[in-house]
Amino acid sequence: MNNTKACEAEVTLDRGSSSRALIGRSLFRLSRPRVLLFLGPVCEANMDWSGRMDAVDIQPDCLGLYCGRIMGIVNGTEVHGDCGVCPRGQRTDARKICRECTGSPERYDWLYLGFMAMLPLILHWFFIEWYSGKKSSSALFQHITALIECSVAAIVTLLVSDPMGSLQIRSCKVVMLSDWYTMLYNPSPDYVTTIHCTHEAVYPLYTIVFIYYAFCLVLMMLLRPLLVKKIACGLGKSDRFKSIYAALYFFPVLTLLQAVGGGLLYYAFPYIIIVASLVTLVVYLSASEVETFKDLLVRKKRLIVLFSHWLLHAYGIISISKLNNIYQDLPLLALVPAPALFYLLTAKYTEPSRILSEGANGR
């Protein structure tokens, strides 16, 4: 057939209807759906000698980074639906098809969930210690209660997640930062109509944290007031519930933090743990006037605080290294005591009173 000769063909649309279209040398147009296809220099690929063209199944491209088509089977034939949002628990593949998330969280994902689970527990312990007072004997029981609350909330959260009744969860793999913010990538082909494709591409790492915080709050409101009322006799009526009031403030803050900065926290939490634990350890040792190893051993509470910070140091190091090479990464844990040892060895040289006295003597 002559390359310059136009050919007439019957084209099958994606919804089953057909339309007559005039195919030119290099492209053709359809009004419904409005598609532009490039066929190359000739249109003889599917052309028989009678001048007719085989039926062509046309599906417009699925726009947007996270829009996809739901796949189904009808009469043994794979059928794709309209381009739109994927159901919960699914995300798009390279072909823009919504696929169910069947994988398991990676080690780094579990470490992230552990970090988010630790935040309310650490804040509980901080405010319990802050408001209990030095003479109160109820702090220990409140610490244990807070640990039980958060532990039970974590277990229940895993049990109610898919698959139900199991401590294992299925998840989608996190590929890039934008996976956490799919609402920012809804396409607008004509700059007027927006195709809403917002879904949890990092299922369930985003929503499972909210579920965990909800269970923590419910368990705290059920258990803590009764405990505090029974054992916090050394505190005044206005002080014994202050740690609970503090939780009612920091839980909304944590929820907002996860909603807005969940993706940023996912990539930055190992460094946040290390920096925050180093700063808080130095502040505690300085406020407690610990300058020597003997000062550290005077009270058991100081050792507990020190070992707790060492655990956080180790958690941060493991999160950064991910233990991909266990023989290379495990020796890094030997650096855990280094900051405390450095502080104790150099504290006497940075004592403010000594610096002031030496300055007065003209040294």
Side-chain angles (χ1 to χ4, degrees), residues 55-279:
V56 180
D57 186 22
I58 299 177
Q59 284 189 342
D61 290 338
C62 194
L63 302 177
L65 190 60
Y66 296 99
C67 296
R69 301 179 185 277
I70 302 177
M71 183 183 68
I73 304 297
V74 178
N75 297 328
T77 304
E78 186 179 281
V79 179
H80 297 160
D82 294 334
C83 182
V85 61
C86 293
R88 188 171 187 266
Q90 299 184 13
R91 70 168 297 169
T92 57
D93 59 8
R95 297 174 52 202
K96 293 291 186 178
I97 305 299
C98 295
R99 303 290 184 183
E100 187 175 8
C101 303
T102 57
S104 299
E106 298 179 353
R107 183 183 295 114
Y108 187 84
D109 298 335
W110 284 113
L111 290 171
Y112 166 75
L113 293 178
F115 167 73
M116 299 306 294
M118 284 191 300
L119 287 180
L121 178 59
I122 293 175
L123 290 174
H124 275 314
W125 284 349
F126 173 79
F127 285 109
I128 289 172
E129 194 65 30
W130 184 269
Y131 290 116
S132 292
K134 296 182 179 180
K135 298 181 180 180
S136 176
S137 60
S138 66
L140 178 61
F141 294 98
Q142 293 188 61
H143 286 316
I144 296 175
T145 304
L147 178 61
I148 294 175
E149 292 168 3
C150 293
S151 300
V152 173
I155 294 174
V156 174
T157 301
L158 293 177
L159 291 177
V160 300
S161 300
D162 193 19
M164 295 278 290
S166 173
L167 295 179
Q168 297 293 326
I169 57 177
R170 63 181 183 90
S171 68
C172 300
K173 184 178 180 181
V174 181
V175 179
M176 49 188 173
L177 179 61
S178 60
D179 292 346
W180 293 82
Y181 304 101
T182 56
M183 74 290 294
L184 303 178
Y185 295 88
N186 293 324
S188 181
D190 56 359
Y191 301 100
V192 176
T193 304
T194 301
I195 302 176
H196 296 281
C197 299
T198 301
H199 67 284
E200 190 178 6
V202 295
Y203 174 88
L205 301 182
Y206 188 76
T207 54
I208 197 172
V209 177
F210 299 125
I211 298 173
Y212 167 72
Y213 288 164
F215 280 123
C216 283
L217 185 60
V218 171
L219 290 173
M220 183 196 71
M221 297 304 297
L222 291 177
L223 301 178
R224 194 85 63 82
L226 297 176
L227 177 70
V228 171
K229 186 176 180 180
K230 292 293 184 181
I231 67 177
C233 300
L235 297 176
K237 292 183 178 180
S238 61
D239 294 334
R240 57 175 68 175
F241 294 106
K242 282 189 176 180
S243 62
I244 300 177
Y245 297 152
L248 297 179
Y249 281 101
F250 69 67
F251 268 118
V253 174
L254 291 178
T255 302
L256 181 63
L257 186 65
Q258 168 67 6
V260 177
L264 300 176
L265 289 175
Y266 178 81
Y267 289 101
F269 82 89
Y271 310 98
I272 295 175
I273 290 177
I274 290 180
V275 173
S277 60
L278 287 176
V279 172

Side-chain angles (χ1 to χ4, degrees), residues 37-54:
L37 296 180
F38 290 90
L39 299 180
V42 295
C43 58
E44 62 183 6
N46 297 319
M47 184 74 65
D48 59 19
W49 292 106
S50 63
R52 303 288 297 172
M53 192 174 185
D54 294 338

